[in-house]
Amino acid sequence: LSPTDWSASLHRLALDEANLSKNQVVTLADNGTGDITAISSGGFAYGGKFSPDGRWLAYVSNESGQNEVFVAGIRGSDRKWQISTGGGTAPRWKQDGTELYFVSNGALMAASIRSARDGLEIGSAQPLFRVNMASFLRSQITNYTVTADGQHFLVNSTGDQKTLALDLIINWQPQASSAAH
């Protein structure tokens, strides 16, 4: 089990559960019994992120044949909503829960989300800007974050270079301090 998020109330954890036959997103409740609820997915799933109100969990699953972003209720119901089309990873919520951001085909995307009587109303995803994110072997490493108002993003970008430069300093000696005598 690898933790990916915790709810705002701090009473529930999102975890990636990996074993030889599957990878799924589960939630662990801090209710004294250690209840684990599997978030339904027909494929390899990972990267769960709680909505700010703690009612929903965004995650990535390849159940459609490619990685896509989904949102499901945290109680493990069969109801879920596909947010991305044409690929999607790395979901992040706007602090007020009205937008969900994700990465799709080299662009940072935003989809509007609104609670409705029968679940959620999802707006079509719109591209915000192109990104060239650094990739990591571990999915738990955050490659971007968003401010509470959704107006600023901090992105771990590889830039436009095909190769990255590395400066190696050898025989380094600390500079003598003028105060030390």
Side-chain angles (χ1 to χ4, degrees):
L1 295 173
S2 299
T4 59
D5 199 14
W6 57 21
S7 65
S9 69
L10 305 181
H11 293 292
R12 192 172 286 273
L13 286 174
L15 304 131
D16 288 347
E17 178 185 40
N19 61 43
L20 294 176
S21 62
K22 65 181 174 181
N23 199 85
Q24 67 180 357
V25 175
V26 299
T27 63
L28 173 65
D30 178 20
N31 59 6
T33 64
D35 290 342
I36 293 181
T37 303
I39 303 302
S40 62
S41 173
F44 185 92
Y46 66 95
K49 297 291 182 187
F50 287 105
S51 63
D53 66 6
R55 295 178 52 206
W56 311 102
L57 190 74
Y59 62 96
V60 178
S61 173
N62 70 353
E63 65 191 76
S64 69
Q66 66 180 346
N67 283 344
E68 299 286 1
V69 174
F70 291 84
V71 172
I74 64 162
R75 303 283 183 238
S77 72
D78 290 334
R79 186 80 193 267
K80 62 185 167 196
W81 293 262
Q82 185 173 335
I83 308 302
S84 63
T85 57
T89 61
R92 305 283 186 275
W93 292 90
K94 185 176 179 183
Q95 188 173 13
D96 65 6
T98 61
E99 282 186 308
L100 185 66
Y101 307 104
F102 60 94
V103 178
S104 178
N105 299 312
L108 193 67
M109 308 288 285
S112 64
I113 296 188
R114 194 172 68 121
S115 289
R117 183 177 11 215
D118 63 342
L120 293 174
E121 289 181 6
I122 311 296
S124 62
Q126 301 298 317
L128 299 177
F129 53 88
R130 303 286 306 159
V131 292
N132 190 11
M133 290 190 183
S135 58
F136 299 100
L137 295 175
R138 295 185 45 159
S139 63
Q140 293 85 5
I141 296 175
T142 301
N143 48 12
Y144 77 97
T145 191
V146 58
T147 57
D149 63 3
Q151 296 301 303
H152 303 282
F153 294 82
L154 180 61
V155 178
N156 189 353
S157 174
T158 60
D160 294 330
Q161 299 176 4
K162 297 291 182 198
T163 60
L164 299 176
L166 174 66
D167 293 332
L168 178 62
I169 300 171
I170 57 174
N171 298 323
W172 175 79
Q173 296 293 321
Q175 199 170 18
S177 171
S178 61
H181 290 276

